[in-house]
Amino acid sequence: MGLGARGAPPGPNPPAEPPPAPPPEAPPPRGPRPAPRAAPPPPPPPAGGAPRSAFRAEGASDGTFRRVDAARLAPRIRALLDGFATHLVVGLPGTDLATVRAHVGEFLDETLGPA
């Protein structure tokens, strides 16, 4: 039995061709880059009344609300709501909308209610 042209024994299948090379990547675009988008304007103050800061100040001065540091309180409220939202979405046993509303209401009453 003889060897084939490439030194391999002849067989029923010829040697496989290498796969074609992938196409070359496109060159990066030339020219100036587009300018970044400007940030959207801030939302207007709430309609039909004083701005929120005046509302809070008035409520604190007449005893409706406790004086709090809003910058410290806001992340706590967001975390509380986010945590309960996750429990509701995944269906954690014992967590329903009425229970969540009761917990959030209690937290806000304790945190913002009169001293």
Side-chain angles (χ1 to χ4, degrees), residues 54-102:
F55 178 75
R56 285 191 309 264
E58 181 182 339
S61 67
D62 70 10
T64 303
F65 299 125
R66 180 179 302 170
R67 291 190 185 276
V68 296
D69 180 1
R72 286 189 62 217
L73 181 61
R76 293 176 183 181
I77 293 174
R78 276 194 310 269
L80 178 75
L81 295 175
D82 184 51
F84 277 128
T86 302
H87 291 181
L88 287 170
V89 168
V90 300
L92 191 67
T95 306
D96 57 29
L97 189 55
T99 304
V100 169
R101 284 182 175 166

Side-chain angles (χ1 to χ4, degrees), residues 24-48:
E25 292 184 27
R30 298 190 184 256
R33 294 183 180 185
R37 292 185 186 175

